[in-house]
Amino acid sequence: DANRKLHIITWNVGSAAPPDDITALLGLNVGDGNTDMYIIG
């Protein structure tokens, strides 16, 4: 299916940990909620 929705992010800030609330990092607070796959590197 050519209509897949991906959300791709990276976390490359040395030894810093991601925030406790990753809602904004993953974009969960925006968009239509129809993301098919999250890719985190």
Side-chain angles (χ1 to χ4, degrees):
D1 185 355
N3 294 317
R4 304 249 182 225
K5 290 187 177 186
L6 303 176
H7 187 89
I8 303 170
I9 62 169
T10 62
W11 186 260
N12 187 15
V13 291
S15 62
D20 289 335
D21 181 2
I22 60 170
T23 301
L25 184 65
L26 294 178
L28 299 175
N29 55 346
V30 296
D32 57 11
N34 291 326
T35 301
D36 294 305
M37 183 182 299
Y38 289 89
I39 300 170
I40 305 167

